């Protein structure tokens, strides 16, 4: 503090210089003291934040007063008047008060101010930390972006090479790598081959064995592993004048699909195969691998693996598809060829059928005729041989043609009613001569419940029985042959894949032919029914035959919804041939061999019979139509003769025309219809409906070519009888 | 106990028999009934209504023709009568048919009064037949509505 000068009467002359200096210093101090608060006020006004204004005011007051004191000191160098002393005292007192107050205040204030400072420091640190973190996040985001972009690039293509190339390029760019390389396992899986590099073009065939420790280390983990720049997988760059090789990182890329790397001979297929990706930082750059960069590399490696597997799968499916298409094309061609072949064969057969049979017929017929003439014994023998041979040939041809038709499925059974008992006897009569010669007795047993008259294909059934019995005779040297025919029931023994169910008007005929002849090796039984295969020794080969017999018989039996099989206990123990066929039971007791559809004496149903009714009278037209519709006919009506002529066609079987109205015109139409249909079978039958009963009408109708006359009104029964008679006999003049 | 259905059925039977006995219908009507089945359930009704329309038309023609006093076209009348005879015989309208026969003779002999008389009779006759058949059909409907079946009537 300043020194209060207690000199009341200062003497100028002695210390005048000193006084002057004091005077000046005091002045300047005062000025400084006054200006400091001004500055404070100015700056505080400028900053609106400072919270301690009151303190400042106090401080300001304190300083001002100090300054005032010093200012007042200026007057103390001269004589102090009373006023000056008073002012001085007042000022000093005030100063004392204020300074004490300020001192007390400051005790509270200064710690706060200090803490403000610490907080400021703290905040600054925090800000710095945030900045750092921001930087990190940004980098991570960048990395993420890079990964996304990389992934996008990689996954945007399904071509393996593009994927790998893009990976390397993008990684190289993102991470600013010096070199980036991909090692793929070879076909054998024993080595890694350098497949792709970033900088070096056309990598040479450079392989390293797969069992290196460094490689195992990398393959052992899914993380990116830092490896030594001197390891064989990393020695890719020309090492020239580089002091510090950049750090190298390797990561495994799982190959999830094996399609491209066919390991056919590899004894143990390891489930996971890997490729190796090696990344090298630029040399002489002192750069280090950061954690986020490693993570980026790992992520990329995974994505590449996925993309590669997709590409592989796609390749596989494309290949499969191409293969299928090729196969389809080949199949199509094969099918067309087969069809052409079948067509050609059918054409051939059709032609041959006719062409071959004609000369055969000629030969057989003429030979037969020749037999009837006068011949010498030698000539007779020759003719008989010719006849026998040509019959055999004819049979052979028939067999072949039948079989081919059977196989096509184009053969249809010709159903008819015939006598079953007679059929068996006929067969036996045919076989008897040969059997007698070979001294083989044949017996026939017909079951008592065997129907006499049945419906079926007589010719083919005879063929089957003849074939079976003939075989029995052919292959037997001794013993007897028994033929049994019975109606089979469902509990009889039958091959497991056949189920016999007698239905309504049908029954299953079972025929068993047992012989004690050569027998058949059970192993050969399945082959029996195949074409052209004969189980034979040389001895039996002479028995002739084409080997088609059983095959054809089997086909016929199948057509008749039946089954045929052979049982034998072995060679030399004879065999039994059994077959079942489905036949219909006939109601008739007719003994005709003419195939005829079972006809009832009366057609009750004229379903779909097309008729035309011509009548001018609407009511009677309607009634006639109703009558015919009730009987099931398809009725067309016309109301005039002109219309009738227009409408009538060969589809109409009968035309009913009303001839009641007087006049000859109605009969004219009959003539016109006759003119229209020149062929008799096309012309519909003409029936006149009339109300007249006299003979002249009848005669007139006949003269105009009508087939019948009916008296109106016609009853239902009448119409029915008339129609059926008409259709059967094509003429009717009785319904009067 | 006599249910409504059996009452109606008896009524129907009696009425039908009476129609036959009174000569309104003959066997041809029976034949028509035979033609009615599931395929054509309203066959008889259709034919009968067609017949009555026909009657009306033909009678109208004949009336007009006979109105031309002094210039009657007997051949036209004759052909109409012929038509009517054919129609009536087709449906079994016995009385109408009988009248047509008489009518035809009058036409042939060009008997004007006879024709007029016949025409009147035919007119009355067909109308009464129409009424009777309508009664019969309504009886049928009643039976069906009551849930019964229309009985087969053997004459």
């Amino acid at each position: 503090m300043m020194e209060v000068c207690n000199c009341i009467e200062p003497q100028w002359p002695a210390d005048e210089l000193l006084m002057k200096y004091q005077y000046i210093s005091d002045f300047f101090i005062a000025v400084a003291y006054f200006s400091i608060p001004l500055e404070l006020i100015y700056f505080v006004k400028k900053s609106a934040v400072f919270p301690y204004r009151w303190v400042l005011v106090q401080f300001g007051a304190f300083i001002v007063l100090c300054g005032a004191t010093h200012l007042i000191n200026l007057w103390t160098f001269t004589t102090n008047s009373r006023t000056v002393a008073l002012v001085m005292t007042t000022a000093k007192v005030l100063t004392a008060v204020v300074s004490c107050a300020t001192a007390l205040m400051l005790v509270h204030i200064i710690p706060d101010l200090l803490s403000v400072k610490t907080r400021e420091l703290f905040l600054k640190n925090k800000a710095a930390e945030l900045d750092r973190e921001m930087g990190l996040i940004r980098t991570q985001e960048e990395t993420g972006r890079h990964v996304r972009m990389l992934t996008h690039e990689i996954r945007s293509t399904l071509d393996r090479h593009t994927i790998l190339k893009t990976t390397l390029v993008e990684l190289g760019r993102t991470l600013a790598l010096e070199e980036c390389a991909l090692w793929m396992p070879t076909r054998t899986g024993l080595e890694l081959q350098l497949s792709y590099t970033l900088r070096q073009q056309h990598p040479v065939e450079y392989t390293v064995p797969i069992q290196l420790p460094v490689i195992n280390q990398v393959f052992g983990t899914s993380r990116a592993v830092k490896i030594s720049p001197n390891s064989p997988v990393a020695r890719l760059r020309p090492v020239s004048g580089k002091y510090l090789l950049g750090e190298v990182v390797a990561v495994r890329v799982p190959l999830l699909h094996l399609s491209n790397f066919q390991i056919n001979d590899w004894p143990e297929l390891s489930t996971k195969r890997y490729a190796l990706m090696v990344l090298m930082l630029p040399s002489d750059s002192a750069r280090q691998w950061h954690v986020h960069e490693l993570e980026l590399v790992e992520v990329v490696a995974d994505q590449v693996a996925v993309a590669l597997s997709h590409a592989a799968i796609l390749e596989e499916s494309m290949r499969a598809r191409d293969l299928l298409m090729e196969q389809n094309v080949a199949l199509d061609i094969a099918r067309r060829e087969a069809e052409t072949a079948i067509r050609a064969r059918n054409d051939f057969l059709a032609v041959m059928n006719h062409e071959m049979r004609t000369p055969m017929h000629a030969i057989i017929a003429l030979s037969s005729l020749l037999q009837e003439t006068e011949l010498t014994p030698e000539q007779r023998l020759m003719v008989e041989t010719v006849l026998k041979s040509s019959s055999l040939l004819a049979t052979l041809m028939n067999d072949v043609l039948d079989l081919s038709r059977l196989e096509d499925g184009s053969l249809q059974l010709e159903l008819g009613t015939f006598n079953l008992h007679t059929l068996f006897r006929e067969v036996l009569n045919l076989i008897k001569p040969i059997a007698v010669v070979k001294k083989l007795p044949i017996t026939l047993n017909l079951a008592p419940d065997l129907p006499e008259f049945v419906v079926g294909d007589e010719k083919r059934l005879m063929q089957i029985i003849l074939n079976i019995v003939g075989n029995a005779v052919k292959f037997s040297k001794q013993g007897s042959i028994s033929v049994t025919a019975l109606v089979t029931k469902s509990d009889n023994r039958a091959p497991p894949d056949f189920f016999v169910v007698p239905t309504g008007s049908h029954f299953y005929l079972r025929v068993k032919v047992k012989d004690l002849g050569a027998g058949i090796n059970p192993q050969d039984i399945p082959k029996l029914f195949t074409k052209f295969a004969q189980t034979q020794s040389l001895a039996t080969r002479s028995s002739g035959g084409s080997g088609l017999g059983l095959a054809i018989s089997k086909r016929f039996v199948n057509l008749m919804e039946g089954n045929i099989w052979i049982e034998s206990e072995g060679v030399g123990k004879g065999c039994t041939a059994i077959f079942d066929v489905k036949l219909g039971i006939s109601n008739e007791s007719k003994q005709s061999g003419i195939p005829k559809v079972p006809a009832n004496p009366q057609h009750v149903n004229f379903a779909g019979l097309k008729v035309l009714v011509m009548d001018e009278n609407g009511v009677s037209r309607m009634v006639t139509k109703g009558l015919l519709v009730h009987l099931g006919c398809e009725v067309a009506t016309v109301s005039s003769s002109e219309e009738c002529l227009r409408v009538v066609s060969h589809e109409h079987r009968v035309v009913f025309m009303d001839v009641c109205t007087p006049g000859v015109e109605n009969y004219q139409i009959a003539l016109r219809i006759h003119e229209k249909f020149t062929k008799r079978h096309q012309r519909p039958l003409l029936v006149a409906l009339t109300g007249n009963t006299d003979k002249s009408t009848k005669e007139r109708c006949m003269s105009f070519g009508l087939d019948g006359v009916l008296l109106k009104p016609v009853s239902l029964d009448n119409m029915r009888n008339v129609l059926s008679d008409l259709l059967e006999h094509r003429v009717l003049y009785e319904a009067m | 106990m006599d249910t409504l259905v059996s009452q109606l059925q008896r009524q129907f039977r009696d009425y039908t028999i009476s129609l036959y006995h009174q000569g309104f219908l003959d066997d041809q009507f029976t034949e028509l009934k035979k033609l009615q089945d599931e395929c054509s359930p309203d066959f008889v009704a259709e034919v009968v209504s067609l017949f009555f329309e026909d009657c009306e038309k033909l009678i109208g023609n004949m009336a007009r023709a006979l109105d031309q006093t002094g210039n009657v076209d007997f051949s036209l009348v004759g052909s109409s009568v012929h038509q009517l005879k054919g129609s009536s015989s087709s449906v079994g309208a016995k009385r109408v048919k009988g009248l047509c026969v008489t009518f035809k003779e009058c036409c042939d002999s060009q008997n004007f009064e006879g024709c007029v008389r016949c025409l009147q009779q035919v007119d009355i006759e067909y109308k009464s037949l129409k009424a009777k058949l309508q009664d019969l059909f309504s009886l049928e409907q009643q039976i069906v509505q009551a849930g019964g079946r229309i009985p087969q009537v053997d004459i």
Side-chain angles (χ1 to χ4, degrees), chain A residues 616-630 660-662 712-717, chain B residues 28 31-32 34-37 40 43 46-47 50-51 54 82-91:
Chain A
E616 282 179 10
N617 186 315
V619 177
S620 70
R621 194 169 61 232
M622 190 171 179
V623 173
T624 314
K625 176 172 176 178
L627 203 59
L628 291 163
V629 162
H630 190 77
C660 291
T661 42
K712 271 168 75 169
V714 193
S715 72
L716 189 63
D717 289 340
Chain B
Q28 180 59 17
E31 291 295 328
L32 277 188
K34 280 193 204 167
L35 301 180
Q36 189 159 291
D37 54 18
S40 35
F43 183 70
E46 283 169 16
V47 174
L50 185 64
F51 167 64
D54 219 15
H82 184 81
Q83 290 279 341
L84 193 60
K85 180 169 152 220
S87 305
S88 54
S89 68
S90 295
V91 301

Side-chain angles (χ1 to χ4, degrees), chain A residues 1 33 57-67 95 98-100 102:
Chain A
M1 257 297 267
Y33 269 129
V57 167
Q58 254 183 332
F59 215 64
F62 165 68
I63 295 176
V64 159
L65 283 169
C66 282
T95 311
V98 169
S99 36
C100 289
T102 313

Side-chain angles (χ1 to χ4, degrees), chain B residues 55-123:
Chain B
C55 278
E56 222 176 289
K57 193 179 73 186
L58 289 170
I59 288 171
N61 289 348
M62 288 191 273
R64 268 194 301 278
L66 288 171
D67 269 349
Q68 319 281 356
T69 37
N71 199 13
V72 177
D73 189 358
F74 281 103
S75 59
L76 179 66
V77 181
S79 67
S80 298
V81 173
H82 184 81
Q83 290 279 341
L84 193 60
K85 180 169 152 220
S87 305
S88 54
S89 68
S90 295
V91 301
K94 191 168 171 188
R95 283 199 186 177
V96 179
K97 188 174 86 175
L99 281 171
C100 285
V101 172
T102 324
F103 200 160
K104 190 83 197 297
E105 284 166 16
C106 295
C107 280
D108 290 345
S109 51
Q110 308 216 346
N111 180 353
F112 181 76
E113 286 83 17
C115 286
V116 169
R117 215 179 25 249
C118 284
L119 183 66
Q120 281 171 349
Q121 281 176 325
V122 163
D123 193 47

Side-chain angles (χ1 to χ4, degrees), chain A residues 141-354:
Chain A
E141 215 244 2
E142 285 249 338
T143 314
R145 219 161 13 90
H146 280 299
V147 171
R148 271 197 301 281
M149 183 211 21
L150 262 169
T151 313
H152 182 257
E153 290 292 322
I154 291 168
R155 301 282 290 272
S156 68
T157 170
L158 282 170
D159 173 46
R160 170 194 308 281
H161 295 286
T162 321
I163 290 172
L164 294 169
K165 260 280 170 215
T166 315
T167 313
L168 297 182
V169 163
E170 293 297 328
L171 266 178
R173 213 153 44 95
T174 310
L175 299 170
L177 300 171
E178 175 172 359
E179 181 58 270
C180 192
L182 191 71
W183 299 77
M184 293 284 221
T186 55
R187 217 165 285 263
T188 56
L190 292 170
E191 296 181 315
L192 282 181
Q193 184 180 17
L194 183 61
S195 314
Y196 302 92
T197 54
L198 183 59
R199 310 274 174 215
Q200 288 174 319
Q201 299 302 319
H202 309 290
V204 204
E205 284 262 349
Y206 185 27
T207 60
V208 294
I210 208 172
Q211 293 298 333
L212 289 179
V214 62
I215 296 177
N216 284 339
Q217 185 196 7
V218 177
F219 280 178
T221 168
S222 64
R223 317 291 313 272
V225 176
K226 290 204 185 111
I227 62 174
S228 154
N230 291 322
S231 57
V233 290
R235 251 184 280 144
L236 299 170
R237 309 163 276 195
V239 187
S240 52
K242 301 223 198 251
Y243 294 111
L244 190 63
L245 295 172
E247 289 199 340
V248 180
V249 147
V251 69
R252 73 176 187 188
V253 179
L255 299 170
L256 299 170
H257 197 77
L258 302 176
S259 67
N260 211 28
F261 306 104
Q262 309 276 353
I263 333 166
N264 296 319
D265 309 307
W266 193 235
E268 41 149 16
L269 269 175
S270 49
T271 49
K272 285 266 190 186
R273 284 163 45 96
Y274 303 103
L276 189 74
M277 201 156 52
V278 176
L279 306 118
M280 294 170 231
L281 286 178
S283 324
D284 302 334
S285 70
R287 247 183 72 187
Q288 297 261 333
W289 280 102
H290 297 277
V291 172
H292 71 268
E293 288 171 341
L294 292 180
E295 284 173 1
L296 173 73
V297 166
E298 284 157 22
V299 168
V300 168
D302 279 334
Q303 290 299 316
V304 167
V306 172
L308 278 179
S309 70
H310 285 182
I313 290 171
L314 180 73
E315 264 178 49
E316 182 73 28
S317 70
M318 297 289 288
R319 215 157 29 116
R321 193 196 64 167
D322 287 339
L323 196 64
L324 269 174
M325 270 175 43
E326 267 175 40
Q327 279 180 342
N328 264 0
V329 168
L331 274 171
D332 205 36
I333 293 175
R335 183 182 58 98
R336 264 198 288 259
E337 281 177 6
E339 277 178 5
T340 325
I342 290 178
R343 262 199 304 272
R345 187 203 65 181
N346 285 347
D347 289 341
F348 168 76
L349 282 178
V351 166
M352 281 293 118
N353 191 1
H354 182 67

